[in-house]
Amino acid sequence: MPRGRYSLHDPHDHALLGEEHFHCAPGPSGWRYVSQLTGPDGGHRGSVDLAVDELGRPIRVELALAGWQVRGAAIDGVTWVRSDPAGAEAAEGNAPAAAFTGTSPAFLVATARLLRPAEGAAATRVRLVALTDPVLAPRTVDQAWQLAGSSVHDTDSGPLVVDEYRVTALDTGEVHSVHIAGDVVLSAPGVELEHLETPPSAFPA
């Protein structure tokens, strides 16, 4: 079970947004990721609890940030309930999308697992619901994912396979790279892996 810490930055001006302390693990029914978010001052910001099935579809998403909370799953596309900080009301939403995304690195691993693009194949298009900081507002986005290549690195615990994905935002044409080893993001825009206690887990073939 990998445990570690990511630092999160604004992808545009690189300002530190905080850290994400996480642990994750694959299981017989899929993969689960749990984390606690802290701000630049070290104070608690929120939490992430994501579970996907063996095909990478979200079977449970629970996010908390700045008092806001979202709970969702893959039902008739994706369905979610967003609650306000006071808890006075809750709004339900639904979109014809494949999964959720957001600032947490967990969503990058889950999307790569969902699409599983083959090296050399054309980019795979996917529609996602982005839960944006700081109030977890839902926004539908279209992306294209392509496996640019894989490399093997020798480590103390054995060979480590790193996949590089080229991700294109279809509304702006912006392209960026995401590097993933197993179920851990090594680097991505706004994400840096700062500490890892145990090696990444490998998903079953």
Side-chain angles (χ1 to χ4, degrees), residues 82-98:
R82 178 174 174 266
S83 305
D84 67 295
E89 58 182 80
E92 183 174 333
N94 174 266

Side-chain angles (χ1 to χ4, degrees), residues 52-93:
V52 301
D53 65 14
E54 59 183 4
L55 298 178
R57 298 171 298 193
I59 55 177
R60 186 181 70 254
V61 176
E62 295 187 6
L63 304 180
L65 188 65
W68 294 88
Q69 183 178 58
V70 169
R71 295 183 178 180
I75 302 173
D76 296 328
V78 293
T79 299
W80 65 90
V81 175
R82 178 174 174 266
S83 305
D84 67 295
E89 58 182 80
E92 183 174 333

Side-chain angles (χ1 to χ4, degrees), residues 6 105 109 153 160-163 178-188 191-194 196 200:
Y6 295 109
V109 175
H153 301 265
L160 182 68
V161 178
V162 179
D163 295 323
V178 174
H179 293 84
I180 298 177
D183 58 355
V184 173
V185 175
L186 302 183
S187 67
V191 176
E192 291 293 337
L193 179 63
E194 300 290 350
L196 188 63

Side-chain angles (χ1 to χ4, degrees), residues 21 37 41-42 48 57 64 74 76 144 158 168 176:
H21 302 256
L37 307 174
D41 61 355
V48 177
R57 298 171 298 193
D76 296 328
T168 304
H176 59 265

Side-chain angles (χ1 to χ4, degrees), residues 78 80 82 95 97 99-102 127-133 136-143 169 171-172:
V78 293
W80 65 90
R82 178 174 174 266
F100 295 95
T101 190
R127 174 161 291 176
L128 305 168
V129 171
L131 301 170
T132 57
D133 286 3
L136 300 178
R139 180 171 62 92
T140 302
V141 298
D142 291 310
Q143 297 178 346
D171 57 346
T172 64

